[in-house]
């Protein structure tokens, strides 16, 4: 019961910390990391041991699917070289460097040292995205960071699995290549097949709540089945999510989609909170077991790993940008137009905050794993250190680099909005009723605004008038329920209709309704 009460308190505290992070313009995981450390000093906090396989499935599967669902295949193809150098090259480079430090400094066995390197290698773009979105940094950078965060997890977890198996004596590292090839190819096929099956199932479910439950159950099932088959669960989930994302929108109603997005957003937030709670509770027990002479050595080793992880990423990113720019001098002028800059390299290198994946994979180490406590403590230090040091200095760094505001996504939205408005007008052109004329007039007004996105006054006036009318509708609806003319069932049905209208009138939440006073 103490754990349940503590979790409730921490969830509410996390909400407050999220609000504070927005005011301070820092990533909310940075504050969650500090809160997780604070838990280690709470008197009477319970000790929790979680099954390693359960930890991976419970925390990684839904978070990874949520990230993969929003991934742009176009951007993955466009920036494939940079993504390969980061998701593969940077992860392997960091793993090797950290493994050498663990082997030389802490005396870890080779397999255990490689496992540590794989645990701390993959950065998490979630921590950086909240800050980057406020500064309109070049779209290339945000796309690369998001794609890297998705793909590097697969690389790191595959290395981690092999290293753990080797450390426990269930596989030899010399036999790893066939295992990697089989797992990769099989995971790609399995993810696509599972995605197609899920689409057939979801297409037959109309209830929003049932659809969301099936989505979560399907995600966990895909992870578990892939793991049982010896495949890469991460690669399988990524392909599964991308397959669904490309075809599901036309098979889901708007109501189901809005409901599903809200639930997934909340679930990912809760999982982040619970992971940092577990970090604090695990850190407390680990520090207790390392009491004495070994504690100082463990903290020194953890701090060294943190520094190595940060420096290794900066060195790798800076090196590959320098090489790409040098090679581009031999190419055409067109090849030199979209080159990465050193300012961008500094930002990408500094956005290497570690997060949920590193936390959960560290917690998931088997209890009998050699040197488990110093390895887990080092992983926690990397998560805490990168989130606090890099996360809280990201905003000043962006101001120092001073990128020109990027309007790539805004321009794409404006172009697409004109196209969809024109499509609606084209299909209505064959309708001659009075109602069709009214609807056409509305679409023509919206298209005119879409064709001139810089005319803020026109857009503001159009949406303000709509919201002004919607605000009066809400007042009338409240009065009808208050005087007993309608019951709550009718009230909530009409409330939902008005909510949809308000969402249409303020798609980005930019405008506030005028008061009716």
């Amino acid at each position: 019961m103490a754990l349940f009460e503590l979790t409730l308190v921490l969830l509410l505290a996390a909400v407050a910390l999220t609000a504070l992070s927005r005011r301070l313009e820092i990533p909310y995981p940075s504050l969650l990391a500090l809160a997780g450390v604070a838990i280690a000093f709470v008197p009477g906090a319970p000790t929790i041991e979680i099954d390693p396989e359960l930890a991976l499935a419970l925390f990684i599967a839904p978070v990874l699917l949520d990230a993969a669902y929003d991934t742009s295949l176009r951007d993955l193809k466009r920036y494939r070289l940079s993504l390969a150098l980061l998701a593969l090259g940077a992860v392997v480079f960091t793993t090797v460097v950290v493994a050498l430090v663990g082997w030389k400094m802490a005396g870890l066995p080779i397999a255990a040292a490689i496992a540590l390197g794989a645990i701390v290698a993959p950065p998490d773009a979630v921590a950086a995205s909240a800050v980057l979105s406020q500064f309109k940094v070049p779209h290339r950078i945000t796309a690369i960071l998001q794609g890297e965060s998705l793909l590097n997890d697969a690389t790191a977890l595959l290395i981690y699995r092999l290293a753990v198996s080797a450390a426990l004596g269930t596989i030899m590292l010399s036999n790893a290549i066939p295992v990697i090839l089989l797992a990769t190819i099989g995971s790609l096929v399995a993810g696509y097949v599972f995605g197609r099956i899920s689409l057939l199932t979801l297409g037959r479910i109309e209830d929003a709540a049932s659809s969301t439950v099936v989505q979560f159950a399907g995600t966990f099932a895909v992870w578990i089945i892939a793991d049982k088959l010896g495949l890469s669960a991460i690669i399988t989930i990524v392909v599964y999510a991308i397959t669904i994302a490309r075809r599901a929108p036309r098979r889901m109603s708007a109501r189901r989609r809005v409901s599903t997005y809200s639930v997934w957003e909340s679930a990912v937030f809760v999982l982040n909170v619970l992971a940092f709670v577990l970090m604090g509770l695990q850190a407390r027990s680990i520090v207790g077991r390392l009491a004495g002479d070994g504690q100082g050595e463990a903290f020194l080793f953890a701090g060294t790993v943190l520094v190595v992880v940060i420096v290794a990423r900066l060195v790798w990113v800076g090196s590959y940008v320098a090489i790409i720019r040098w090679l581009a001098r031999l190419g055409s002028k067109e090849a030199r137009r979209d080159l990465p800059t050193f300012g961008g390299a500094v930002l990408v290198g500094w956005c290497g905050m570690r997060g949920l994946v590193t936390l959960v994979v560290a917690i998931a180490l088997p209890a009998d794993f050699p040197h488990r406590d110093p390895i887990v403590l080092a992983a926690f230090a990397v998560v805490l250190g990168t989130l606090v040091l890099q996360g809280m200095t990201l905003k000043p760094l962006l101001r120092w680099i001073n990128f020109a505001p990027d309007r790539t996504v805004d321009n794409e939205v404006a172009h697409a909005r004109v196209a969809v408005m024109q499509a609606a007008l084209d299909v209505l052109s064959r309708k001659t009723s009075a109602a069709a004329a009214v609807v056409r007039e509305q679409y023509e007004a919206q298209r005119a605004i879409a064709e001139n996105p810089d005319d803020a006054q026109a857009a503001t006036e159009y949406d303000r008038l709509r919201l002004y009318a919607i605000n009066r509708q809400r007042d009338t609806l409240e009065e009808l329920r208050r005087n007993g003319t309608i019951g709550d069932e009718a009230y909530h049905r009409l409330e939902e209709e008005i909510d949809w209208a308000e969402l249409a009138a303020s798609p980005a939440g930019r405008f506030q309704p005028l008061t009716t006073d």
Side-chain angles (χ1 to χ4, degrees):
M1 189 64 179
L3 175 62
F4 179 69
E5 294 167 351
L6 176 64
T7 303
L8 289 178
V9 171
L10 289 169
L11 285 174
L12 294 175
V15 173
L17 290 175
T18 303
L20 179 61
S21 71
R22 291 195 187 100
R23 293 182 65 87
L24 298 177
E25 295 182 329
I26 59 176
Y28 83 86
S30 299
L31 295 182
L32 286 182
L34 292 173
V37 172
I39 294 170
F41 300 96
V42 175
T47 301
I48 299 177
E49 295 295 335
I50 186 169
D51 179 76
E53 298 302 322
L54 174 61
L56 290 172
L58 177 62
F59 290 98
I60 302 299
V63 172
L64 195 63
L65 182 133
D66 183 64
Y69 192 90
D70 296 330
T71 297
S72 168
L73 282 178
R74 183 200 65 177
D75 290 339
L76 290 181
K77 294 176 182 176
R78 179 177 295 174
Y79 305 118
R80 56 187 177 274
L81 176 59
S82 296
L83 288 173
L85 289 170
L86 287 172
L88 294 174
V91 168
V92 172
F93 179 70
T94 303
T95 299
V96 170
V97 173
V98 172
L100 288 173
V101 171
W103 179 47
K104 291 291 187 181
M105 181 177 180
L108 300 179
I110 291 296
I114 293 175
L116 170 61
I119 289 171
V120 300
D124 183 1
V126 172
S129 59
V131 178
L132 295 179
S133 62
Q134 299 169 2
F135 285 83
K136 296 282 187 182
V137 301
H139 176 68
R140 174 193 176 94
I141 292 177
T142 56
I144 288 174
L145 286 172
Q146 291 169 358
E148 178 206 3
S149 178
L150 180 67
L151 300 176
N152 63 17
D153 294 338
T155 305
L157 195 57
L158 191 58
I159 298 172
Y160 165 84
R161 291 277 197 184
L162 293 172
V164 170
S165 298
L168 298 178
T170 58
I171 192 175
M172 298 294 292
L173 286 177
S174 58
N175 301 327
I177 293 179
V179 174
I180 292 174
L181 292 176
L182 179 62
T184 302
I185 296 172
S187 300
L188 293 172
V189 175
Y192 179 77
V193 172
F194 288 142
R196 299 294 294 185
I197 294 173
S198 179
L199 286 169
L200 292 174
T201 304
L202 293 173
R204 290 172 168 78
I205 301 175
E206 293 299 330
D207 178 62
S210 299
S211 177
T212 304
V213 170
V214 169
Q215 289 175 44
F216 275 98
T219 301
F220 292 125
V222 168
W223 180 283
I224 293 170
I225 294 172
D227 190 56
K228 296 293 184 184
L229 294 175
L231 304 176
S232 168
I234 282 190
I235 296 176
T236 306
I237 283 287
V238 168
V239 176
Y240 170 76
I242 292 176
T243 301
I244 294 176
R246 305 300 291 185
R247 294 172 174 83
R250 296 293 298 182
R251 304 189 183 199
M252 293 179 66
S253 65
R255 185 173 184 275
R256 283 170 57 197
R257 188 160 45 251
V258 171
S259 173
T260 297
Y261 288 176
S262 299
V263 173
W264 275 94
E265 184 177 2
S266 300
V268 169
F269 175 74
V270 170
L271 289 173
N272 270 280
V273 173
L274 293 179
F276 283 103
V277 170
L278 286 174
M279 181 188 81
L281 297 177
Q282 291 259 327
R284 176 176 181 153
S285 60
I286 290 172
V287 171
R289 289 196 294 268
L290 292 173
D293 296 336
Q295 191 178 89
E297 294 178 359
F299 277 108
L300 177 61
F301 175 60
T304 303
V305 172
L306 168 62
V307 174
V308 168
V309 165
I310 294 175
V311 173
R313 180 174 175 85
L314 290 170
V315 169
W316 178 268
V317 175
S319 298
Y320 93 70
V321 168
I323 293 172
I324 289 176
R325 291 182 65 86
W326 179 76
L327 292 174
R329 294 178 182 176
L330 307 176
S332 62
K333 291 184 179 180
E334 293 183 1
R336 294 195 291 267
R337 288 179 183 173
D338 197 28
L339 284 176
T341 63
F342 284 109
V346 172
L347 178 59
V348 170
W350 200 247
C351 283
M353 285 85 78
R354 272 56 174 178
L356 185 63
V357 172
T358 296
L359 273 183
V360 175
V361 174
I363 293 170
L365 275 174
D368 58 344
F369 192 80
H371 300 270
R372 182 184 189 275
D373 285 349
I375 289 175
V376 175
L377 185 64
F380 289 171
V382 169
V383 173
L384 177 65
T386 55
L387 284 175
V388 173
L389 176 62
Q390 294 178 303
M392 292 190 172
T393 57
L394 191 56
K395 179 181 173 182
L397 176 65
L398 284 166
R399 285 180 172 165
W400 175 70
I401 298 176
N402 193 26
F403 288 112
D406 187 279
R407 292 186 54 85
T408 300
V409 177
D410 293 336
N411 292 336
E412 290 179 358
V413 169
H415 176 76
R417 184 176 288 126
V418 172
V420 297
M421 294 302 173
Q422 187 59 50
L425 287 170
D426 290 342
V427 79
L428 288 171
S429 63
R430 297 185 293 271
K431 305 294 183 181
T432 58
S433 66
V438 173
V439 175
R440 274 199 304 273
E441 185 177 340
Q442 292 176 342
Y443 276 113
E444 286 171 353
Q446 293 179 51
R447 186 189 63 180
I449 293 172
E451 289 175 339
N452 298 281
D454 295 329
D455 188 358
Q457 183 59 41
T460 302
E461 181 64 19
Y462 178 78
D463 286 309
R464 279 189 182 277
L465 286 173
R466 296 172 70 191
L467 291 171
Y468 178 78
I470 288 169
N471 197 45
R472 173 61 73 181
Q473 286 180 306
R474 290 194 184 281
D475 291 342
T476 301
L477 185 62
E478 290 290 339
E479 179 60 28
L480 290 172
R481 183 172 68 164
R482 188 164 45 248
N483 62 27
T485 301
I486 61 174
D488 277 25
E489 183 176 354
Y491 172 85
H492 288 303
R493 286 190 184 183
L494 289 168
E495 181 186 45
E496 182 180 352
E497 292 178 10
I498 295 174
D499 286 342
W500 282 107
E502 183 172 338
L503 286 172
S506 53
R510 294 171 297 170
F511 308 117
Q512 298 296 325
L514 297 174
T515 61
T516 55
D517 297 337

